[in-house]
């Protein structure tokens, strides 16, 4: 089907069991952003027939997470790592990530990054110094930290002046994340770490080394507190600056302590007492009691996974600045959906490509040969919470307006057709709500034609 005809076909022929209004009867230039009313989750919740119906219960979520650990090759089960890791495996981990780029790069001042600069980065990665075997060590992240391509804070960009997408930024790790420490940089300022979902370079100051089982058991069992807001922060305390006003992002789970009389010079009756990892002067781990105010957006259990809760959780990030790889103290599109689902206890792979094809998830895939009817049929089945993937991007379905799907996503911008039929680019740079059908690639290809898969977090399979 012609790429420009497909959206028109969808506009005129759309039929969804979830939509309350009929599709429009004539094609008009569609806005690329939502109205003020559509920026409120309750607007979309009001359109649902059974907003509180549980999509997956806790037992089903545990089973899905177990499939992810068992079947998804992007997941690393830290429990299964041996006490000694071969140098060949460490070289493979580091070498796969810390490869010298072939394309030109510029720094944030618009100056080219030269071959000498890149060679220095590669040298600091210390591949040649990796021993035949490495005794596996473990640590906990003590504060939100960047995970980098190289052991360096150098920010590099593909285009002069485009300083939002740092090509050496991989992801962000949150406090309490367990990591295997497998290599050290030549300058001894960085560790190369492997977490369950990602591997990369982290500054040593952001991780504390502890006993293997203490690290792996942290926050997994016993009573805990889950952050259900976009962010929460611990109470200010001069007695323990390491845990004072510490940022905790959505989905972080911390061990909960009870029967504690005094914490850092403060009565804990108006707060939750949690255990946070801190790094001692020698780099070792200590778990320290810390207060989270009762007013913080937290829960003693993961939230029930329902359509209404999904919408409310996703909209808590509305307006946050887009942050490639977790930069700008934010998140990118795949981290956005990961953090939302983590507040329900659902684990997802880190990157869009891995999420889109994970064998642990329920999806329908498309190829270049998939015709318009195949895609149209799949779009008719969309439900709130479904994840739409195209190369390098993911969007979450939030509902239907006049029979047409709307999404919430963390995006740099959107291309669409203006009233004259020409291509127009709208800079967004944040979490926002848009209709799906008007969205185009920079070349004018509709997003619906570029979809590679649709993932549904739920038990009901796709009808193919």
């Amino acid at each position: 089907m012609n790429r420009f005809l497909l959206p028109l076909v969808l506009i005129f022929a759309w039929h969804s069991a979830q939509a309350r209004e009929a599709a429009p009867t004539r094609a008009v230039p569609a806005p690329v952003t939502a109205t003020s009313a559509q920026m409120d989750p309750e607007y979309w919740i009001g359109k649902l027939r059974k907003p509180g119906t549980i999509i997956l219960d806790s037992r089903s979520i545990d089973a899905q997470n177990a499939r992810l650990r068992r079947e998804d090759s992007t997941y690393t089960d830290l429990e299964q790592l041996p006490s000694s890791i071969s140098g060949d495996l460490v070289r493979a981990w580091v070498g796969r990530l810390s490869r010298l780029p072939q394309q030109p790069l510029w720094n944030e001042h618009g100056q080219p990054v030269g071959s000498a600069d890149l060679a220095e980065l590669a040298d600091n990665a210390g591949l040649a110094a990796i021993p035949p075997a490495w005794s596996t060590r473990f640590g906990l992240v003590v504060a939100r930290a960047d995970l980098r391509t190289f052991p360096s804070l150098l920010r590099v960009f593909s285009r002069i002046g485009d300083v939002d997408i740092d090509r050496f930024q991989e992801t962000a790790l949150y406090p309490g994340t367990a990591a295997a420490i497998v290599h050290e940089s030549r300058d001894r300022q960085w560790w190369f770490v492997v977490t369950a979902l990602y591997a990369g370079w982290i500054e040593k100051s952001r991780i504390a080394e502890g006993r293997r089982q203490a690290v792996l058991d942290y926050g997994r069992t016993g009573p805990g507190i889950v952050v259900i807001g976009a962010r929460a922060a611990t109470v200010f305390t001069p007695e323990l600056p390491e845990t004072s006003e510490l940022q905790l992002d959505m989905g972080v789970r911390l061990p909960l302590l009870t029967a504690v009389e005094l914490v850092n010079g403060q009565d804990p009756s108006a707060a939750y007492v949690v255990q946070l990892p801190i790094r001692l002067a020698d780099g070792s781990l200590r778990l320290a009691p810390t207060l989270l105010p009762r007013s913080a957006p937290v829960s003693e259990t993961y939230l029930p996974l329902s359509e209404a809760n999904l919408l409310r959780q996703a909209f808590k990030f509305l307006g946050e600045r887009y942050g490639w790889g977790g930069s700008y103290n934010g998140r990118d599109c795949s981290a956005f959906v990961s953090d939302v689902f983590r507040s329900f206890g659902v684990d997802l792979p880190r990157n869009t490509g891995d999420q889109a094809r994970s064998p642990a998830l329920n999806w329908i895939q498309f190829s270049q040969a998939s015709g318009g009817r195949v895609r149209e049929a799949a779009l008719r089945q969309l439900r709130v919470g479904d994840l739409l993937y195209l190369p390098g991007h993911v969007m979450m379905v939030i509902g239907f307006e006049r029979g047409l799907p709307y999404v919430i996503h963390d995006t740099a911008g959107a291309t669409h057709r203006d009233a004259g039929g020409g291509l127009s680019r709208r800079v967004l740079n944040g979490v926002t709500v848009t209709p799906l059908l008007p969205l185009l690639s920079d070349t004018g290809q509709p997003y619906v034609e570029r979809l590679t898969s649709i993932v549904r977090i739920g038990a009901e399979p796709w009808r193919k």
Side-chain angles (χ1 to χ4, degrees):
M1 182 174 292
N2 181 277
R3 67 175 59 178
F4 302 118
L5 181 60
L6 177 58
L8 294 178
V9 170
L10 289 170
I11 288 174
F12 283 105
W14 196 274
H15 300 286
S16 171
Q18 299 184 60
R20 290 185 176 177
E21 299 93 353
T25 57
R26 62 188 180 91
V28 295
V32 75
T33 55
T35 66
S36 177
Q38 292 166 342
M39 295 287 186
D40 186 339
E42 301 305 319
Y43 178 89
W44 301 100
I45 292 171
K47 290 175 172 285
L48 298 173
R49 290 196 178 96
K50 297 180 179 180
T53 301
I54 299 301
I55 298 170
L56 282 180
D57 60 23
S58 59
R59 182 173 298 180
S60 299
I61 290 173
D62 289 343
Q64 178 172 289
N65 290 342
R67 285 198 303 276
L68 181 74
R69 293 191 294 271
R70 185 174 62 249
E71 301 175 16
D72 196 311
S73 62
T74 68
Y75 185 93
T76 300
D77 189 346
L78 299 183
E79 289 272 13
Q80 301 304 314
L81 290 180
S83 58
S84 178
I85 300 176
S86 74
D88 289 341
L89 179 56
V90 174
R91 261 186 295 275
W93 276 330
V94 178
R96 185 162 52 240
L97 181 73
S98 303
R99 292 179 292 184
L100 289 178
Q102 301 301 310
Q103 74 278 14
L105 295 171
W106 287 264
N107 64 23
E108 51 196 329
H109 305 294
Q111 300 167 333
V113 179
S115 57
D117 299 315
L118 296 176
E120 184 177 345
L121 294 179
D123 183 55
N124 199 31
L127 276 173
I130 294 175
W134 175 274
S135 295
T136 314
R137 296 147 71 178
F138 292 85
L140 290 175
V141 176
V142 298
R144 179 175 167 131
D146 291 335
L147 206 61
R148 305 285 291 169
T149 308
F150 289 94
S152 171
L153 295 176
L154 175 67
R155 301 178 72 228
V156 300
F157 311 96
S158 298
R159 291 179 293 182
I160 296 176
D162 181 6
V163 295
D164 284 332
I165 299 181
D166 175 4
R167 294 300 177 182
F168 288 169
Q169 176 72 13
E170 294 293 331
T171 190
L173 299 181
Y174 300 157
T177 302
I181 301 169
V182 301
H183 182 46
E184 184 180 34
S185 63
R186 184 177 56 83
D187 64 8
R188 298 188 175 182
Q189 299 302 306
W190 298 76
W191 290 122
F192 190 90
V193 299
V194 178
T195 71
L197 298 174
Y198 219 92
W201 292 97
I202 185 174
E203 292 179 278
K204 283 187 175 181
S205 61
R206 296 288 180 162
I207 194 166
E209 187 177 349
R211 292 181 299 105
R212 175 187 184 120
Q213 212 52 50
V215 167
L216 297 180
D217 286 344
Y218 177 82
R220 295 195 308 183
T221 59
I225 284 291
V226 179
V227 177
I228 60 172
R231 295 176 182 84
T234 59
V235 171
F236 172 82
T237 172
E239 287 83 0
L240 194 61
E242 298 94 326
T243 67
S244 181
E245 296 184 320
L246 188 72
Q247 177 177 313
L248 304 168
D249 289 79
M250 182 181 286
V252 169
R253 185 182 190 275
L254 304 172
L256 182 64
L257 300 178
T258 57
V260 180
E261 294 185 0
L262 197 66
V263 177
N264 299 326
Q266 184 175 345
D267 176 79
S269 59
Y272 299 101
V273 184
V274 297
Q275 274 193 312
L276 276 174
I278 63 172
R279 175 184 168 91
L280 300 180
D282 63 357
S284 63
L285 170 68
R286 180 165 76 87
L287 299 181
T290 307
L291 296 182
L292 264 176
R294 291 270 173 180
S295 59
V298 297
S299 170
E300 294 189 21
T301 61
Y302 288 110
L303 292 174
L305 181 54
S306 67
E307 290 181 330
N309 281 344
L310 265 174
L311 289 169
R312 291 190 178 109
Q313 290 303 100
F315 274 74
K316 288 177 181 178
F317 290 113
L318 194 67
E320 179 184 80
R321 176 68 183 247
Y322 176 83
W324 168 267
S327 56
Y328 295 160
N329 201 34
R331 62 215 81 234
D332 53 26
C333 61
S334 53
F336 162 63
V337 299
S338 293
D339 287 357
V340 169
F341 277 100
R342 191 179 294 115
S343 66
F344 303 99
V346 176
D347 293 333
L348 295 177
R350 171 59 181 90
N351 290 335
T352 53
D354 298 325
Q355 291 175 1
R357 56 178 176 264
S358 173
L361 302 177
N362 175 20
W363 42 252
I364 181 171
Q365 287 194 323
F366 307 103
S367 67
Q368 291 184 347
S370 299
R373 290 185 178 180
V374 173
R375 294 171 187 271
E376 183 184 346
L379 293 177
R380 287 199 199 104
Q381 298 181 48
L382 289 178
R383 291 186 173 183
V384 169
D386 285 348
L387 302 177
L388 311 181
Y389 291 89
L390 56 151
H393 192 49
V394 58
M395 305 165 284
M396 179 187 293
V397 175
I398 60 172
F400 297 84
E401 185 76 1
R402 301 178 70 195
L404 305 178
Y406 274 65
V407 294
I408 186 170
H409 50 144
D410 203 344
T411 181
T415 299
H416 61 108
R417 294 202 175 273
D418 58 27
L423 294 179
S424 178
R425 178 71 174 174
R426 178 81 175 262
V427 175
L428 297 171
N429 263 343
V431 178
T432 193
V433 171
T434 65
L436 171 64
L437 298 186
L439 300 180
L440 309 173
S441 71
D442 290 341
T443 62
Q445 185 180 21
Y447 271 24
V448 291
E449 287 190 8
R450 303 186 70 228
L451 290 177
T452 58
S453 70
I454 306 175
V455 170
R456 173 169 295 160
I457 307 299
E460 182 177 335
W462 283 93
R463 298 190 302 274
K464 300 181 181 180

